[in-house]
Amino acid sequence: MARKLIIDGKEIEADDNISLLQACELAGAEIPRFCYHERLSVAGNCRMCLVEWVGAPKPQASCALQVKDIFPNKDGTPARINTNTPLVKKAREGVMEFLLINHPLDCPICDQGGECDLQDQAMAYGRAAFHRFKENKRAVEDKYMGPLIKTIMTRCIQCTRCVRFATEVAGVPELGATGRGEDMEITTYLEQAFSSELSGNVVDLCPVGALTSRPYAFNARPWELRKTQSVDVMDAQGANIRVDSRGLDVLRVLPRTNEAVNEEWISDKTRHAVDGLRRQRLDRPYIRRDGKLQPASWADAFAEIAARVKASKPERMAAIVGDLAAAEEIKALKDLMASLGVVNLDCRQDGAQLQPEPRQSYLFNTTIAGVEAADALLLIGCNPRWEAPVLNARIRKTWLHGNLQIANIGQPYDLTYPVTQLGGSVSALQDLVAGKGEFASVLRNAQRPMLVLGSGALARRDGATILKLAAQLAGSTGMIGPAGAAAEGGWNGFNVLHTAASRVAAMDLGFLPGAGGRDMAGILAGAGTGEIDFVYLLGADEFDMAYLGNAFVVYQGTHGDAGAHRADVILPGAAYTEKDGIYLNFEGRLQYGNRATFPPGDAKEDWAILRALSEVVGKTLPYDDRGALRKAILADAPHFANANMVAAHGGADPAIWDAIGREGQIDSATPLSSTIHDFYLTNPIARASAVMAECSRLFVNPSKAMAAE
């Protein structure tokens, strides 16, 4: 229901359920605020958003009033709201005067300087000429909130945004207020670190400099930084980010708002692993001579690889794509291997039993935003809190504001919302397929049921059979609509949750075993027995290199991680902030990452390395620039033309879903569990980060750290 209001002389019609502040903004008015935030509950603490309701005895806090609370005048005319009269200005100036009573005058040394809401609004509503308070300012002891958040609590204005974020969005109610009146302080209840994977978002929410980034402290001012829009690769969700750099250094990563992907949140790994971009970097080619890696020129490294390629046979060669690769280098490596006749290719370095067709069988079909429409959710072998923290916050949001019922098959985790534990083994999934148990009826009776199949369920020997069981469950409980339902806005509740940013693009481009080719397990087995004697690793580090046996290994990547330690030739590549690249998140949404800085030393963009190598091995790739390469990608996968869009997969023919997975033996003795055992150390960039190492020590392995100390 809508109601008419006259705001600053302009008549508008506003929905009853929005706040008066939002209605004023719809009318074009700018309303200052400190405590109000669109994604948090209303607190009404700061009173900065005062407006005049003509006829009311005093100014009104517009954030705490809904439009339905604004009744018409006695003569039936719409209520009049003024946002810029002298009365309003005087009221806001009074509020600002109160806020600045105890606020320290340390803007020159405050990391919030230049981005501070209090600074901005003090320019408009501060009284520079005089102030009426001569008493000493109060001082508040700084609180410890962990290695990521620096606190200067004397600056705090008690807006409680951080408290509400921790309780409502992060689901970790560890922040709160103690004391009353002037003695009120924001603190962690037990005076310990704020243990959430989303904790860094409170720095963005803080409207003053009370909470700032500890790793970024005193590094730069915002006007010194070059700002580049890009995409996160720390997980497969593809959060939209802004990379702030100065010179060759990335100094910080901040979120960009994208309602369909990450709203305005990012994980702590996305935000704070950036120091890993500078450490342990590969900045020149290396060749292993006499058992030791020696610096070499590009020409020598390429010549060594070409000699090995010539000495080997296509059936004895293999290539593996890592988790952080962009679509461009995946396509280039695939084309190079195809030109050499190599069919032993795989992008599933964790061994996930995925198949190339149908495309819906390896996507998060419900979409991230679509989770909010679900009313029943089954988690299978995954830990979304660590595998995709921002998605986990979206699930929590749906549970908090709706009637979402959630169950889990696999190892139990603290997911910040209540979960019914159905069992730890695959037999619990078999029971659901057979219609047994209370949650089976919950799924059947739900309007929009969904399941999330994690890598922990797929990266097993029986992963293909688990995939088949999940598809059968989706088909029998109404998770998958009828054929053509996509065009009618149908529902598809079958979802695969990837952990690798490169996985969907590589699957779409067909970086998979060719006819008679070996998959990941086959490549490793062949390398161990000597049947594979040449392996090309494109940033692949997440498996035990001992399985490569005596094979000749080429590692193309960014850091001195596991792959580089095992390599016989190292080709230094570019990190995600150092190149333009195409990434598809687990929904299949195509997004562009943009270069913020240049690679260090002699390192080059990855597709360009492969293009140069192709000349040396005598199989020159048919593209000389990124534009031509992207045209070649489009020829292979036309849907790559649809930027920031998700293909509709509402329904499918039953025959297609029957073809997903395969029948086989189930391992009921081994429990399902997530493939991520340490959220903070999942890739070479994060493992090179001192900040992530400290977080791992504090939050994941505290007992080990205490024992070592």
Side-chain angles (χ1 to χ4, degrees):
M1 185 175 175
R3 183 166 302 197
K4 289 183 178 180
L5 298 173
I6 299 175
I7 299 176
D8 293 337
K10 178 180 179 181
E11 184 173 308
I12 68 161
E13 199 168 280
D15 188 275
D16 267 359
N17 294 317
I18 68 172
S19 67
L20 179 55
L21 185 150
Q22 291 171 308
C24 291
E25 291 188 331
L26 287 175
E30 184 177 340
I31 308 296
R33 84 291 298 269
F34 291 114
C35 69
Y36 176 79
H37 192 277
E38 291 82 355
R39 302 186 198 280
L40 304 176
S41 61
V42 175
N45 292 340
C46 72
R47 320 307 284 182
M48 197 66 203
C49 63
L50 293 174
V51 297
E52 180 187 6
W53 178 3
V54 177
K58 59 181 181 180
Q60 304 292 310
S62 58
C63 72
L65 278 177
Q66 288 185 299
V67 168
K68 63 185 176 185
D69 299 323
I70 311 298
F71 47 82
N73 296 323
K74 290 182 178 179
D75 59 1
T77 58
R80 302 182 69 89
I81 307 294
N82 295 324
T83 69
N84 56 8
T85 58
L87 173 68
V88 173
K89 188 172 188 299
K90 182 179 179 182
R92 292 175 181 170
E93 287 176 350
V95 170
M96 178 60 68
E97 194 173 4
F98 272 116
L99 291 175
L100 294 177
I101 291 173
N102 289 311
H103 196 79
L105 299 176
D106 57 0
C107 295
I109 62 161
C110 179
D111 275 313
Q112 198 86 332
E115 301 172 314
C116 178
D117 292 349
L118 189 64
Q119 275 185 336
D120 295 342
Q121 294 181 37
M123 289 293 291
Y125 301 106
R127 292 181 173 179
F130 71 97
H131 62 91
R132 291 171 285 180
F133 296 95
K134 306 298 183 185
E135 292 81 4
N136 292 330
K137 292 179 180 288
R138 75 163 187 167
V140 180
E141 184 179 352
D142 294 341
K143 308 299 188 295
Y144 175 70
M145 291 190 184
L148 304 180
I149 303 171
K150 179 183 176 183
T151 62
I152 304 93
M153 300 311 293
T154 301
R155 300 172 186 162
C156 181
I157 60 170
Q158 288 85 40
C159 71
T160 69
R161 278 187 181 183
C162 57
V163 176
R164 285 174 284 147
F165 173 84
T167 303
E168 298 164 13
V169 179
V172 182
E174 295 178 359
L175 295 181
T178 62
R180 300 182 65 184
E182 193 170 78
D183 294 327
M184 181 178 173
E185 297 182 17
I186 304 296
T187 180
T188 53
Y189 290 118
L190 300 177
E191 296 190 5
Q192 61 186 16
F194 180 19
S195 58
S196 169
E197 298 75 23
L198 300 170
S199 66
N201 291 289
V202 300
V203 173
D204 296 336
L205 289 172
C206 184
V208 295
L211 305 178
T212 57
S213 171
R214 188 181 290 274
Y216 176 70
F218 305 127
N219 274 354
R221 287 299 195 184
W223 53 85
E224 300 174 333
L225 303 176
R226 184 172 61 251
K227 302 167 179 64
T228 307
Q229 295 187 354
S230 192
V231 178
D232 172 47
V233 299
M234 293 294 127
D235 56 38
Q237 186 162 346
N240 288 211
I241 58 174
R242 192 187 85 194
V243 180
D244 286 2
S245 57
R246 184 176 61 188
L248 293 178
D249 291 334
V250 173
L251 296 184
R252 65 177 181 178
V253 166
L254 298 176
R256 286 188 294 126
T257 301
N258 187 326
E259 299 293 344
V261 180
N262 60 301
E263 297 180 300
E264 60 185 81
W265 317 124
I266 56 174
S267 74
D268 289 346
K269 184 165 52 178
T270 300
R271 186 185 299 268
H272 290 296
V274 292
D275 65 312
L277 293 167
R278 300 191 295 270
R279 294 186 171 93
Q280 300 180 20
R281 286 302 300 269
L282 301 173
D283 59 359
R284 66 180 70 180
Y286 289 86
I287 299 175
R288 190 177 296 277
R289 295 189 177 101
D290 299 325
K292 293 184 178 181
L293 288 168
Q294 305 287 343
S297 67
W298 280 103
D300 289 345
F302 286 163
E304 182 79 9
I305 296 170
R308 291 287 182 164
V309 168
K310 188 175 181 180
S312 187
K313 297 178 180 179
E315 62 270 18
R316 297 176 66 85
M317 300 168 63
I320 301 169
V321 162
D323 291 351
L324 307 184
E328 286 88 345
E329 53 259 31
I330 296 171
K331 168 65 174 170
L333 181 58
K334 182 195 173 192
D335 288 353
L336 177 59
M337 291 295 131
S339 68
L340 295 170
V342 179
V343 293
N344 303 316
L345 311 174
D346 212 340
C347 61
R348 305 161 297 184
Q349 64 171 329
D350 57 1
Q353 301 292 304
L354 296 165
Q355 59 190 56
E357 292 292 338
R359 188 169 185 251
Q360 300 98 300
S361 69
Y362 59 83
L363 291 183
F364 199 92
N365 297 291
T366 300
T367 73
I368 297 167
V371 169
E372 297 187 24
D375 51 3
L377 167 61
L378 176 65
L379 303 172
I380 306 171
C382 65
N383 176 7
R385 182 172 175 181
W386 276 9
E387 295 175 25
V390 180
L391 172 69
N392 194 64
R394 182 89 71 155
I395 296 173
R396 173 178 167 78
K397 174 184 176 183
T398 306
W399 165 77
L400 203 59
H401 297 109
N403 58 348
L404 181 64
Q405 298 184 68
I406 308 167
N408 178 59
I409 296 176
Q411 183 178 340
Y413 298 101
D414 177 9
L415 299 177
T416 73
Y417 42 80
V419 177
T420 301
Q421 188 66 27
L422 300 182
S425 69
V426 187
S427 57
L429 178 59
Q430 291 176 306
D431 289 343
L432 284 180
V433 173
K436 300 177 183 177
E438 184 179 338
F439 201 77
S441 60
V442 169
L443 291 174
R444 284 195 303 270
N445 296 329
Q447 295 296 311
R448 289 185 173 86
M450 61 179 284
L451 64 81
V452 177
L453 194 59
S455 297
L458 296 170
R460 299 164 38 119
R461 291 189 177 182
D462 58 354
T465 308
I466 295 174
L467 181 65
K468 178 114 189 136
L469 288 171
Q472 290 173 347
L473 179 64
S476 64
T477 55
M479 291 185 191
I480 304 166
E488 302 166 9
W491 178 256
N492 189 334
F494 182 87
N495 302 291
V496 173
L497 179 59
H498 297 291
T499 58
S502 65
R503 185 67 50 83
V504 171
M507 295 287 292
D508 282 354
L509 292 172
F511 202 96
L512 295 164
R518 296 171 180 260
D519 62 5
M520 185 68 188
I523 291 170
L524 297 182
T529 60
E531 297 172 10
I532 298 290
D533 58 18
F534 179 97
V535 180
Y536 200 108
L537 303 180
L538 181 59
D541 295 274
E542 312 305 322
F543 63 93
D544 188 350
M545 297 294 161
Y547 288 116
L548 293 177
N550 295 320
F552 182 84
V553 177
V554 178
Y555 178 78
Q556 179 179 331
T558 58
H559 285 73
D561 209 81
H565 282 281
R566 172 59 186 82
D568 295 290
V569 175
I570 294 175
L571 305 178
Y576 74 104
T577 57
E578 299 159 2
K579 61 188 176 187
D580 296 328
I582 295 173
Y583 299 93
L584 274 70
N585 71 353
F586 52 58
E587 304 170 288
R589 183 187 303 272
L590 184 143
Q591 301 181 107
Y592 292 98
N594 297 309
R595 188 185 66 204
T597 62
F598 290 92
D602 293 334
K604 309 292 182 186
E605 289 197 36
D606 293 276
W607 76 267
I609 294 172
L610 291 159
R611 171 62 178 78
L613 176 61
S614 70
E615 283 191 36
V616 179
V617 299
K619 301 290 183 179
T620 303
L621 294 175
Y623 27 78
D624 297 326
D625 55 45
R626 185 179 292 103
L629 173 54
R630 287 182 172 174
K631 286 181 181 177
I633 291 174
L634 282 176
D636 275 7
H639 62 272
F640 271 63
N642 303 322
N644 202 33
M645 292 175 60
V646 179
H649 293 305
D653 292 327
I656 294 177
W657 288 94
D658 287 344
I660 293 178
R662 64 171 180 265
E663 301 284 354
Q665 198 71 23
I666 285 292
D667 179 7
S668 296
T670 305
L672 294 165
S673 64
S674 172
T675 55
I676 294 181
H677 306 294
D678 190 332
F679 167 73
Y680 299 98
L681 305 176
T682 56
N683 60 62
I685 298 174
R687 286 191 288 270
S689 166
V691 177
M692 292 296 98
E694 174 64 13
C695 289
S696 173
R697 183 195 69 80
L698 190 65
F699 297 121
V700 181
N701 298 306
S703 58
K704 290 183 181 179
M706 290 175 66
E709 291 168 0

